[in-house]
Amino acid sequence: MSTPEDAKLNSYRTGPDEQGHFGIFGGRYVAETLMPLILDLEKAYEAAKVDPEFKAELDHLNKHYAGRPSPLYFAERLTNAIGGAKIYFKRDELNHTGSHKINNCLGQIQLANRMGKKRIIAETGAGQHGVAVATVAARFGLPCVVYMGATDIERQKPNVFRMRLLGAEIVPVTAGTGTLKDAMNEALRDWVANVEDTFYIIGTAAGPHPYPEMVRNFQSIIGHETRWQLEEHEGNGRLPDALVACIGGGSNAIGLFHPFLDDPDVAIYGVEAEGHGVESGEHCASLRGGKPGVLHGNRTYLLQDEDGQIKDGYSISAGLDYPGIGPEHSWLKETGRVNYVGATDKEALEAFKLCTKHEGIIPALEPAHALSYVQKLAPTMDKNQIIVMNLCGRGDKDIFAVAEHLGMDI
Amino acid sequence: MMKETRIDRRFAKLKDEGRSALVTFVTAGDPDHETSKSILMGLPGAGADVIELGMPFSDPMADGPAIQASSQRALKAGENVRKTLDMVRTFRESDSDTPIVLMGYFNPIYVYPTEQFLVDAEAAGVDGLIIVDMPPEADDELCLPAMKHNINFIRLATPTTDENRLPAVLNNTSGFVYYVSIMGITGTAAPNPDDVRARVEKIRAKTHLPIAVGFGVKTPEQARDIAATGDGVVVGSALVNAITETLDNKGKATEKTVSAVLKLVGELSQAVRGG
């Protein structure tokens, strides 16, 4: 049944509203100490967004420093192996630092410079965001502190070493279970204590307004490039039939999806990490195994118990191991525009191996979750249909974890 | 308009007596429900004028290590919002004057859900709420509904609250204003009494509400200095530390736990009363 609310919804791309809401999701639930700063940040971002100079600087950095545009690559051998729709990879794993995270970090550090901030802080899970932050901090000569869960430090040693080489100070977080959510709590505590000189580069499209919108906009370069690149491959006006991306906080996914939300013929799939399976209770599927709540400055779907205490997520992939999700995804779920599905640890490992063998590309475990769903989706589609999957990170960082799961010694 | 609350009456009475309020914070259910209840019942007798009871949350973003650990202990021992309200109800059977303010984060209230929480909190005898992650921009969700249940919504003003922001912070605030005396999380840096005095005077120029000062007040000496400028002084982490120091090696309460907290409250009370 259609309601007056539905009738008004002629675009999925106008959010958030002035208070940062996507439907009931999003918002700005933070301690008062941070409020004036968050309002300042919003003002600075609104000004930068429409400033041609800001855009020109960012374009320049994206091209000459990050290496954009990233290729849109037809994965022909994989397409033949799986059967069905043509599979394209948006190769954000080829960016400088090895993932899509640099897109957002270049944007935010430029904003930090404009605001005259002298110190950068960040949280990181898999370490991809931490490496990207440490990289841009080195590039712009700013001191950088990265909060990282002690558990994650143990399972992501190569990235920890990279960040240290880049000059970042890594602060291990032992609170909670020592993963991404705890790192974010600790980064927020740092920010509250150092508001005047510090810029907090949040790594995903979550947190208090304007972060979800700002991160989405910096990441939307992924979808914008995909649109013209696919036309180069397939002819003018050709749109993908399906988009697939993995979802932890959801920044790579919203970056690919957002430019296509108002193209009704493009089916969109967000793939959550199911860990040992949603039924097992050990997973990170916030949208399908959680319920709405308020954490880290926004209302969104969260993994939580019946008393509203946040539960720890679990996934083989540290980058998806977050008990929440960006608020825009929560809204896209409720409106039905995006289909949210999942892949288990085991399925992701199989996809990881498949991609490596057939394409000579070692993917990160995060996009291996997306690929696992592509394996299910492609055979249900025609040969002349097209899937674009965001290959948002490379797997170098994961080889130790994968070796352990495969029972191999390195 | 709200009716007069226990908080209003308590601050008015203390003003008549010419002294500041000692506002004490402990986490409900720390280290376990029964011990915590014994502490709560003993607080007025030990000299607490206003009681803040923390509602433990898994992700206390504005709190330092002491209160983080106390929240973890309480949750591990099975504390939840329902049990905390039970504790308040029991307290009210023998004390109908000492105000109780619940302090915490929004999510456990939101999933309770909010309206039912307010009904139950009012019935249990809760007088005020301090919900750290609910700024004025979110007043529709909790602050305004709380007022309809005659529960004061107490807002935090901070060193970053400038003249542009202060009116928004004071609007809809009732009971008292909580001035956060440091930039940072609970129980960390020590406040500078001169800075605090200057800020409190600026807030006082804009509101008739009492102003309590907290975050980082640990010793009776600090409490005495702060009490000289504020209408109330809040002590939290120091009391939580007093609990922590008496636990056995498994983190369980000992026979010293309740008395250690109440002894410190007694000393703080003496100091606030100018003793």
Side-chain angles (χ1 to χ4, degrees), chain A residues 19 28-29 31-33 35-36 39 181 185 188-189 192-193 195-196 292-294 296 299 304 307-310, chain B residues 56-61 63 68 75 80 107-108 110-111 132-137 141 156 158 160 165 169 183-184:
Chain A
Q19 294 298 326
R28 228 172 340 212
Y29 300 88
E32 186 55 39
T33 310
M35 272 311 290
L39 294 171
K181 92 175 165 80
N185 290 336
L188 283 164
R189 290 180 187 120
V192 168
V195 279
E196 276 168 5
V294 173
H296 294 154
R299 187 196 331 267
Q304 53 183 318
D307 294 325
Q309 307 298 338
I310 307 306
Chain B
F57 182 49
S58 53
D59 295 77
M61 284 158 287
D63 286 301
Q68 286 175 46
L75 290 174
N80 61 23
N107 199 51
Y110 177 68
V111 304
V132 181
D133 51 358
M134 291 299 271
E137 284 76 0
E141 274 195 72
L156 307 182
T158 76
T160 59
R165 182 73 185 159
V169 169
M183 268 201 268

Side-chain angles (χ1 to χ4, degrees), chain B residues 65-249:
Chain B
I67 294 176
Q68 286 175 46
S70 78
S71 299
Q72 291 296 330
R73 284 194 297 267
L75 290 174
K76 210 171 151 195
E79 189 68 15
N80 61 23
V81 172
R82 206 169 300 276
K83 287 183 185 169
T84 302
L85 293 178
D86 284 345
M87 200 186 281
V88 175
R89 197 173 301 115
T90 306
F91 178 88
R92 280 281 166 255
E93 286 167 9
S94 58
D95 186 320
S96 50
D97 296 323
T98 307
I100 293 189
V101 176
L102 295 183
M103 185 164 183
Y105 298 80
F106 184 45
N107 199 51
I109 294 173
Y110 177 68
V111 304
Y112 191 88
T114 304
E115 182 57 27
Q116 190 60 48
F117 168 80
L118 292 172
V119 169
D120 292 355
E122 184 181 17
V126 170
D127 306 292
L129 293 175
I130 300 176
I131 305 301
V132 181
D133 51 358
M134 291 299 271
E137 284 76 0
D139 271 1
D140 287 351
E141 274 195 72
L142 185 60
C143 170
L144 299 180
M147 288 164 78
K148 288 192 185 133
H149 289 275
N150 225 46
I151 294 174
N152 291 129
F153 196 85
I154 294 139
R155 198 101 61 191
L156 307 182
T158 76
T160 59
T161 309
D162 58 19
E163 278 153 24
N164 296 329
R165 182 73 185 159
L166 189 58
V169 169
L170 294 175
N171 186 34
N172 293 330
T173 296
S174 61
F176 62 95
V177 178
Y178 187 140
Y179 180 64
V180 174
S181 56
I182 53 166
M183 268 201 268
I185 52 182
T186 53
T188 50
N192 175 331
D194 292 333
D195 291 348
V196 170
R197 186 174 301 117
R199 300 295 305 212
V200 166
E201 291 315 316
K202 280 193 175 153
I203 298 170
R204 206 183 289 289
K206 303 283 180 192
T207 180
H208 62 278
L209 291 170
I211 300 166
V213 179
F215 275 46
V217 182
K218 286 178 176 162
T219 63
E221 292 70 32
Q222 285 175 316
R224 180 167 44 217
D225 290 347
I226 296 292
T229 40
D231 304 300
V233 51
V234 188
V235 182
S237 296
L239 298 176
V240 169
N241 284 335
I243 293 177
T244 312
E245 282 160 15
T246 61
L247 301 179
D248 68 18
N249 55 15

Side-chain angles (χ1 to χ4, degrees), chain A residues 286-307:
Chain A
S286 327
L287 287 174
R288 290 166 317 129
K291 59 182 179 177
V294 173
L295 179 71
H296 294 154
N298 57 168
R299 187 196 331 267
T300 192
Y301 275 80
L302 299 171
L303 300 179
Q304 53 183 318
D305 69 16
E306 58 188 15
D307 294 325

Side-chain angles (χ1 to χ4, degrees), chain A residues 274-280 282-283 314-315 344-345 405:
Chain A
E274 288 184 354
H276 296 314
V278 176
E279 301 305 313
S280 73
E282 294 185 346
H283 60 83
Y314 163 78
S315 168
T344 63
D345 284 2
H405 282 272

Side-chain angles (χ1 to χ4, degrees), chain A residues 358-372:
Chain A
H358 286 278
E359 291 295 345
I361 297 171
I362 302 178
L365 283 170
E366 291 81 13
H369 285 74
L371 183 58
S372 166

